[in-house]
Amino acid sequence: WFALLVLFYLHFSMRVGTAPICSSDGQAGCHVPPLADLFDRVIQQSSRMHGISSDLHSEFEQYFFPSGNIIGKRRCHTYDIITPDDKENAQRLGPEQLTEVILRLLVAWSDPLLPLPWSTLQDQSEDFNPQSHSKALEIPEMVDELKDGVQKMAERMKLEGVLGNTVGYISADSLVPSSTVSFYGQGELSPLYHHHDILYCLRRDSSKVKSYLCILKCTTLPELEC
């Protein structure tokens, strides 16, 4: 009997440990972590995404623009999304506004343009790091996972009365004036410059998302003493 009880306990523990996170109360077969844990999850995801995007940007410049002579428009397809330009302005936004800014940025990057055609670019440099291709392949899935995580976090904030019901589903069509492909493909510059602009913008926007999530956590849960 003791052996059977041990096996039952281990089986139950494994099932609980692998249960998915609930997106709302009443969902069967899932667990509801504390809001602080949900914040920690998305902040960790955003840190990883920003780290990879920064690595890709640096490696791209190192291999294709070692002289630092870069010509690009440096205008991102997310230019029409109004974002706070510093910590103080971000803190002045309410949780609904800041959450919506984060979701808008993430949805805007849910574009089939990524990953970039690294296999083609590798032919242009003998020293190109093949690991960059693997990193680029991770980006689309990371963006989607982070977006889903923030949406679940927002639902949890609504249940706890932190957010109102104004923060809802945001579609890519309602955000981006034109597709990312056509936006960065305009002009007569080499495709290398267009790819550089994409990586520059991805690094910039992923940094914003990471910072805004940290600020949102600290303003929503001041007892954590961030």
Side-chain angles (χ1 to χ4, degrees):
W1 282 105
F2 178 75
L4 289 175
L5 286 173
V6 170
L7 289 174
F8 176 79
Y9 173 78
L10 291 174
H11 176 71
F12 179 77
S13 299
M14 290 175 64
R15 288 180 61 86
V16 171
T18 57
I21 298 174
C22 296
S23 57
S24 60
D25 283 349
Q27 183 179 348
C30 62
H31 69 288
V32 183
L35 183 56
D37 289 352
L38 291 176
F39 267 112
D40 289 340
R41 288 172 187 262
V42 294
I43 289 174
Q44 289 174 3
Q45 288 177 316
S46 66
S47 297
R48 184 166 179 265
M49 185 176 76
H50 177 59
I52 290 181
S53 64
S54 297
D55 289 344
L56 287 172
H57 179 263
S58 298
E59 291 167 7
F60 193 91
E61 287 192 344
Q62 176 184 352
Y63 295 126
F64 297 109
F65 301 101
S67 64
N69 185 20
I70 303 172
I71 302 174
K73 55 186 174 185
R74 292 294 179 90
R75 189 185 187 192
C76 304
H77 71 288
T78 54
Y79 69 91
D80 63 333
I81 300 177
I82 300 176
T83 59
D85 54 2
D86 55 33
K87 180 179 179 180
E88 288 71 23
N89 286 327
Q91 290 174 329
R92 293 190 185 100
L93 293 180
E96 288 90 355
Q97 291 174 295
L98 194 54
T99 302
E100 188 161 327
V101 168
I102 294 169
L103 284 172
R104 284 178 175 274
L105 287 172
L106 291 173
V107 171
W109 280 103
S110 299
D111 191 284
L113 175 65
L114 294 173
L116 300 172
W118 292 99
S119 58
T120 302
L121 298 179
Q122 289 183 52
D123 297 335
Q124 303 182 36
S125 175
E126 295 180 356
D127 298 327
F128 190 82
N129 187 355
Q131 292 183 352
S132 297
H133 185 209
S134 299
K135 291 179 182 178
L137 291 173
E138 294 183 57
I139 291 293
E141 184 177 355
M142 292 179 67
V143 172
D144 287 338
E145 288 180 352
L146 181 55
K147 175 172 61 68
D148 292 343
V150 172
Q151 288 175 333
K152 289 180 179 179
M153 183 190 72
E155 290 299 321
R156 182 67 180 172
M157 293 170 72
K158 290 179 184 179
L159 291 173
E160 296 193 7
V162 179
L163 283 184
N165 292 323
T166 56
V167 179
Y169 175 76
I170 301 173
S171 66
D173 294 338
S174 65
L175 296 179
V176 187
S178 60
S179 73
T180 313
V181 177
S182 61
F183 181 87
Y184 292 104
Q186 295 173 355
E188 299 179 355
L189 293 175
S190 165
L192 286 178
Y193 291 103
H194 300 316
H195 295 322
H196 177 267
D197 284 344
I198 293 172
L199 291 175
Y200 167 82
C201 294
L202 178 62
R203 184 190 64 169
R204 188 201 70 170
D205 287 347
S206 63
S207 176
K208 288 184 178 182
V209 168
K210 175 186 173 183
S211 298
Y212 297 161
L213 283 171
C214 291
I215 293 171
L216 183 61
K217 175 185 176 181
C218 294
T219 54
T220 303
L221 303 171
E223 67 274 11
L224 296 180
E225 298 181 356
C226 298

